[in-house]
Amino acid sequence: TGVQTCALPIYLLNGFAIALTPVNLMWCLVGVTLGTAIGVLPGLGPALTIALLLPITFKVEPTAAFILFAGIYYGAMYGGSTTSILLNTPGESASIVTSMEGNKMARNGRAGAALATAAIGSFVAGTIGTLGLAFLAPVVVDWALKFGPADYFSLMVLAFVTVSAVLGNSAVRGLTALFFGIWLGLIGIDLQTGQARFTFGLQELLDGVNVIVVAVGLFAVGETLYVASRYRSGEDEIIPLKGSLLMTAAEWKRSIGPWIRGTLYGFPIGAMPAGGAEIPTFLSYYTEKKLTKHPEEFGTTGAIEGVAGPEAANNASAAGVLVPMLTPGLPTSATSAIMLSAFTSYGINPGPLLLQNQPALVWGLIASLFIGNVMLLVLNLDRKSTRLNSSH
């Protein structure tokens, strides 16, 4: 209602009063630091980390625990870009697209600009996404819940077409990779019938193929084999990380549009059931590839738009995932499902009445996301600047 909308700034200020207490600030800092480290390490991810930390719900206050969990989630979205850009090894499945242009930029001596646009874009998208979480949550959830089977089918078709279009100049290769990916996704137990599909009698495949395993296999193993194949072909080439994290005026101009567009993709799709972060990152990459004034840089020397847009979409989707979790109580990702289980550990019933019954928890959590975004920006820019300086 209009009265509730007018009261939102007051609720948010009360949330900052809760989040800025020394104890909650400490938990926020611990969460974003741990999350950044988790994002850098391939194969772990925020869902597993939060699951391992669930026992703290027996000792820690609910607000502090959820501030920690949200900090881990946001931090993992930030950290995944570092290894994608520098090592061509995505720490998270949502960072796959970042490696496509970010690593090429790093190999051409533009690692500083790639790391900077990823960090700043994550901050911009995270801040806008958190504002959307605070002020637009009921509207976005109402829109997302209206999606029916036909709408989700259309969304999946759009995602498939986009993925096949951005994976190279050959449509045949793109479509081949697409259908191979669909086949990998079909492996496991069908949730509708309970029948095993393409498991070949192996119990290990009943749960399907983990996306992280596929991502690490495609990028990290491929990169390792590429380096190993050239072991005796000549002297090792060590590419120094040049420049600084201070982007040029031209790089700022080329990044601002992708940051905004990536946010507009990531937030609403992240709020949809099964929306995730992968679809908006690919959509953002495809959009920037079509809109860029420098098409020759895509796939060759690396285009900064191909890093800025997907990283913004990645972090905006993280805020979008929290929308259905805090309002109707619907988990749209593995991480939000585990966070919902933490509510039950405290005896809290997530759902539409959560904002009324637990306002201090919800608004303290939302306020901590703004604070965590600032912490993450400082932490990532300082850490990446140190790496650049140490490489000279």
Side-chain angles (χ1 to χ4, degrees), residues 117 126 132 180 205 215 340:
T117 194
F180 180 69
L205 293 178
L340 278 177

Side-chain angles (χ1 to χ4, degrees), residues 114-180:
L115 292 169
T117 194
I120 299 172
S122 297
F123 171 77
V124 171
T127 302
I128 296 175
T130 307
L131 283 171
L133 172 63
F135 293 97
L136 301 177
V139 177
V140 174
V141 170
D142 181 63
W143 175 69
L145 290 177
K146 291 179 180 179
F147 263 60
D151 304 299
Y152 280 113
F153 177 79
S154 301
L155 179 63
M156 291 301 110
V157 170
L158 175 62
F160 291 155
V161 172
T162 302
V163 170
S164 62
V166 301
L167 289 181
N169 297 324
S170 172
V172 175
R173 284 183 297 178
L175 290 173
T176 302
L178 170 65
F179 284 106
F180 180 69

Side-chain angles (χ1 to χ4, degrees), residues 39-333:
V40 170
L41 299 174
L44 292 181
L48 176 59
T49 306
I50 294 174
L52 293 174
L53 292 175
L54 279 179
I56 72 169
T57 57
F58 296 105
K59 296 290 184 180
V60 180
E61 291 294 323
T63 303
F66 282 103
I67 286 175
L68 171 67
F69 295 157
I72 292 173
Y73 189 28
Y74 264 37
M77 296 296 105
Y78 268 76
S81 64
T82 303
T83 49
S84 293
I85 292 171
L86 299 183
L87 302 177
N88 198 28
T89 304
E92 285 293 319
S93 59
S95 300
I96 292 174
V97 185
T98 304
S99 65
M100 296 170 66
E101 297 300 322
N103 187 251
K104 289 182 175 62
M105 290 181 65
R107 288 179 176 274
N108 286 277
R110 299 163 62 204
L115 292 169
T117 194
I120 299 172
S122 297
F123 171 77
V124 171
T127 302
I128 296 175
T130 307
L131 283 171
L133 172 63
F135 293 97
L136 301 177
V139 177
V140 174
V141 170
D142 181 63
W143 175 69
L145 290 177
K146 291 179 180 179
F147 263 60
D151 304 299
Y152 280 113
F153 177 79
S154 301
L155 179 63
M156 291 301 110
V157 170
L158 175 62
F160 291 155
V161 172
T162 302
V163 170
S164 62
V166 301
L167 289 181
N169 297 324
S170 172
V172 175
R173 284 183 297 178
L175 290 173
T176 302
L178 170 65
F179 284 106
F180 180 69
I182 294 175
W183 176 75
L184 288 178
L186 290 175
I187 296 175
I189 295 178
D190 182 11
L191 297 179
Q192 301 296 325
T193 63
Q195 297 295 317
R197 299 179 302 199
F198 304 114
T199 59
F200 306 105
L202 299 175
Q203 293 185 358
E204 293 82 0
L205 293 178
L206 291 176
D207 291 330
V209 180
N210 193 298
V211 177
I212 294 296
V213 174
V214 176
V216 172
L218 286 174
F219 287 86
V221 176
E223 189 74 11
T224 302
L225 294 176
Y226 175 81
V227 174
S229 67
R230 285 154 178 75
Y231 176 65
R232 298 186 182 278
S233 61
E235 296 183 0
D236 292 337
E237 180 187 9
I238 300 177
I239 303 174
L241 305 181
K242 301 177 183 179
S244 69
L245 289 175
L246 298 176
M247 292 162 47
T248 64
E251 290 168 340
W252 274 95
K253 184 178 179 180
R254 292 177 60 180
S255 297
I256 292 175
W259 289 339
I260 302 301
R261 287 188 289 268
T263 303
L264 295 178
Y265 276 131
F267 183 71
I269 294 179
M272 298 177 189
E278 292 81 7
I279 293 176
T281 54
F282 271 102
L283 287 174
S284 174
Y285 182 82
Y286 178 74
T287 301
E288 301 311 323
K289 192 174 182 180
K290 290 296 183 182
L291 295 179
T292 184
K293 296 180 180 178
H294 305 274
E296 72 282 355
E297 294 184 3
F298 276 83
T300 53
T301 59
I304 195 169
E305 297 92 340
V307 178
E311 273 302 301
N314 176 11
N315 283 268
S317 69
V321 164
L322 297 179
V323 173
M325 188 192 78
L326 294 176
T327 41
L330 296 174
T332 60
S333 70

